[in-house]
Amino acid sequence: MSTRINPQSSNIIGEVNQDSIIESGYKFHHGHVQKVVLDATDLNSFGYPVYGAPSDVSQCILLSPTDSEDINLPSDYVKKFYLAQPLLRGFADSISRGDGVLYTQIGSVFFYLGPLNTLNNPNYSPDHLYNPNLNPNRIVLDDRKDDENGYNINFIKRAINKVNKVKNILLDRPYDTGIGETGSDAEVESNVSDLTLEGRHGNSIQLGYRFINPYSIIKNNNLNGNNGSIIGMLSLGRIPDYFDNYNLLSSDRRIGGGLEKLPFPNTGNEYKYPGFFIGHGNDAGTNTFNMSFGRIEETAEQQTDFDQIIMFSDRITFDAQNNDFTVSAFRNINFGAGENVTITNKGFSVIESQNIYIGKEAKNKAQPMVLGDELRILLLEIMTILQDSRALVQGVPIPLYDNNSAPLFTRIQSVINRLQPRDIDENTNLPIPNSGGQTKFLSQYHYLEQNVRGQEWRLIYLRS
């Protein structure tokens, strides 16, 4: 939509006389937000006809103009507020009564951009042109519920700072890169801010970079010293370089605090289990969490640690509702808790590992675990030897008796009965639970691997 300017008034000083020029027909005007529409029921409560609105009215507004220049509106529009919808598809900023906006009319539809960032504050941006006495539509406004800036008195104003990019010379100019001394005009003039998307109450998405290394940070409830919930994707630098006062994982922090309060042994107080930091038991160099991962090295050639993700909050839940939840690591997987770790599942559990140690000191392999069936066989052999034993009286073998002169055969046989093997299922060739003897020390639910892995591995290697 364009208009042709009258040639008689198109002369411009210093330029060749023009017959005519084309001027855009779309002009933006300043408006004051009176109502914010969340759904169609809001329009009914505002007294606005739903048939004059788009099918989806989310984030539409009712606004009043603060100027009437070049506005040619039918008389119907003059009698009420203008219904305007967001100009950009797929993106609309948080809008509130009392905000200032820019709006335009294209065809019969009003569109708006805003709210205007009057105070450069994500929470509070009052209309700086608000004037309750300005009423171009000549309608009676009820402003008794508004504050002096036009915001509704129910609007929650909070002291929230805009997301910023804190200068970090080590990250911004690693390996002695950069032009000019730190703080010089050349250095300051090279500043580049982040791309940010901010809500009104301490939630934001921040896309930025250090040197040539990008980072993406999502924050929620991050204000007044509270970290809230954060997901950070970093490609250069340590975690503490991006998040103040974050120097320990939560389980390490709790265990470290507990270690300081433990009573000394042999002092009359009960000595409590101290707990250990995450990674305890791994090989040297990987037995603690590396908070310095990504730190700046002296030269670019020495820099080998780059990308990492940090996510923290008061509570985190992962829930794969219809398929697998998979965790994979090229090196170690470490779990730590300030209290307990529980693993619960409805099916079976398999831990496949070269070696399994319960407790770090078990790595010296001084106390191996016992294979139940092997122990049963050994005990059965011992009891069989006792049952077959005889005493010699004048060269004649006689059964063994206890101290009450009762034969031991019956008691030995009872133990032998409880050491009998379980029945084998012909189809699966596996032991049938709760079958055969009454060997109660054999678990029906927990099993250990037999000592045949070395032979299986050798067969695999030979075949390959």
Side-chain angles (χ1 to χ4, degrees):
M1 174 178 176
S2 302
T3 57
R4 184 174 295 275
I5 301 302
N6 187 342
Q8 295 180 358
S9 60
S10 65
N11 292 338
I12 301 176
I13 297 176
E15 294 187 10
V16 179
N17 186 34
Q18 305 176 52
D19 290 338
S20 63
I21 59 174
I22 303 298
E23 184 183 64
S24 172
Y26 304 129
K27 291 185 178 181
F28 280 94
H29 306 273
H30 183 273
H32 183 80
V33 179
Q34 298 289 354
K35 307 284 186 181
V36 175
V37 182
L38 300 181
D39 55 42
T41 58
D42 290 337
L43 286 179
N44 290 325
S45 66
F46 297 155
Y48 192 94
V50 177
Y51 64 82
S55 58
D56 191 339
V57 296
S58 175
Q59 289 190 293
C60 287
I61 61 172
L62 295 175
L63 64 87
S64 60
T66 57
D67 65 75
S68 57
E69 180 184 357
D70 295 330
I71 301 180
N72 298 315
L73 299 173
S75 59
D76 287 344
Y77 285 101
V78 179
K79 297 178 182 179
K80 55 182 177 292
F81 300 135
Y82 310 155
L83 177 71
Q85 59 196 56
L87 178 65
L88 302 179
R89 184 218 60 83
F91 173 80
D93 200 350
S94 173
I95 194 80
S96 172
R97 173 183 171 87
D99 285 331
V101 295
L102 295 177
Y103 72 96
T104 187
Q105 183 183 13
I106 303 177
S108 61
V109 181
F110 285 93
F111 298 91
Y112 76 90
L113 284 174
L116 301 181
N117 185 28
T118 56
L119 297 180
N120 200 29
N121 182 280
N123 178 260
Y124 194 65
S125 298
D127 183 359
H128 64 304
L129 298 181
Y130 172 69
N131 183 356
N133 298 319
L134 178 63
N135 190 359
N137 289 339
R138 295 180 177 84
I139 57 177
V140 178
L141 300 177
D142 182 4
D143 58 1
R144 292 173 297 177
K145 296 180 179 180
D146 290 343
D147 64 16
E148 68 278 5
N149 289 322
Y151 270 105
N152 187 276
I153 57 175
N154 293 320
F155 179 83
I156 302 175
K157 181 180 179 181
R158 304 181 69 184
I160 295 178
N161 295 325
K162 192 171 180 62
V163 170
N164 65 334
K165 178 179 181 179
V166 179
K167 287 189 175 183
N168 188 315
I169 299 301
L170 187 61
L171 292 180
D172 294 333
R173 306 179 61 176
Y175 328 122
D176 293 327
T177 57
I179 300 175
E181 299 294 330
T182 302
S184 65
D185 289 345
E187 189 268 330
V188 173
E189 289 173 356
S190 66
N191 289 343
V192 179
S193 63
D194 293 345
L195 169 64
T196 60
L197 177 64
E198 298 184 68
R200 291 185 184 265
H201 292 274
N203 49 347
S204 64
I205 299 176
Q206 187 174 359
L207 305 179
Y209 70 93
R210 300 289 189 179
F211 186 44
I212 58 173
N213 303 87
Y215 62 82
S216 304
I217 300 175
I218 301 175
K219 299 179 181 179
N220 189 68
N221 197 29
N222 181 264
L223 68 161
N224 299 328
N226 175 51
N227 279 325
S229 300
I230 289 181
I231 300 177
M233 290 166 276
L234 319 175
S235 59
L236 183 68
R238 307 169 306 143
I239 294 174
D241 293 332
Y242 292 84
F243 309 108
D244 293 337
N245 303 318
Y246 195 94
N247 297 301
L248 276 178
L249 300 181
S250 55
S251 62
D252 286 352
R253 185 174 67 252
R254 182 163 189 175
I255 289 174
L259 289 172
E260 297 175 357
K261 300 176 182 178
L262 285 177
F264 290 100
N266 304 321
T267 60
N269 296 321
E270 181 181 357
Y271 186 61
K272 298 180 181 179
Y273 176 72
F276 295 95
F277 294 144
I278 287 181
H280 180 80
N282 286 334
D283 296 333
T286 65
N287 55 2
T288 56
F289 181 78
N290 182 15
M291 191 64 74
S292 296
F293 182 94
R295 69 179 182 272
I296 305 299
E297 302 293 348
E298 293 183 0
T299 64
E301 291 74 19
Q302 294 175 307
Q303 192 74 46
T304 58
D305 296 337
F306 294 99
D307 297 303
Q308 62 176 317
I309 293 178
I310 175 70
M311 176 170 58
F312 57 86
S313 183
D314 289 346
R315 173 174 172 170
I316 297 176
T317 301
F318 295 100
D319 183 11
Q321 295 185 342
N322 293 303
N323 211 294
D324 300 343
F325 174 67
T326 302
V327 178
S328 173
F330 185 76
R331 198 172 64 178
N332 302 326
I333 295 179
N334 303 306
F335 293 95
E339 288 190 0
N340 307 316
V341 175
T342 63
I343 300 176
T344 304
N345 64 293
K346 188 175 180 179
F348 59 81
S349 300
V350 176
I351 300 176
E352 178 61 49
S353 178
Q354 179 178 350
N355 289 298
I356 297 175
Y357 305 104
I358 300 179
K360 177 185 176 182
E361 298 304 320
K363 293 180 70 174
N364 59 24
K365 302 181 180 180
Q367 294 291 335
M369 299 184 75
V370 174
L371 300 177
D373 236 10
E374 296 300 320
L375 175 61
R376 179 194 64 80
I377 293 172
L378 176 62
L379 293 176
L380 180 60
E381 291 179 356
I382 294 174
M383 297 308 297
T384 302
I385 292 173
L386 289 176
Q387 189 179 44
D388 293 341
S389 299
R390 297 291 186 273
L392 291 177
V393 177
Q394 296 181 352
V396 179
I398 61 174
L400 299 178
Y401 288 81
D402 60 18
N403 56 354
N404 294 320
S405 300
L408 291 176
F409 183 87
T410 302
R411 294 171 59 187
I412 293 175
Q413 184 62 49
S414 175
V415 175
I416 290 176
N417 292 339
R418 294 199 298 272
L419 293 175
Q420 294 304 311
R422 292 165 293 174
D423 296 331
I424 301 299
D425 188 305
E426 295 181 356
N427 296 323
T428 64
N429 201 34
L430 296 175
I432 301 175
N434 301 314
S435 67
Q438 304 175 12
T439 314
K440 295 182 178 180
F441 59 80
L442 294 180
S443 174
Q444 306 293 336
Y445 311 105
H446 310 102
Y447 301 91
L448 294 175
E449 187 178 49
Q450 290 181 303
N451 291 325
V452 296
R453 182 185 298 174
Q455 299 175 10
E456 293 177 351
W457 285 358
R458 283 194 293 271
L459 290 175
I460 293 174
Y461 293 150
L462 290 173
R463 291 171 182 170
S464 60

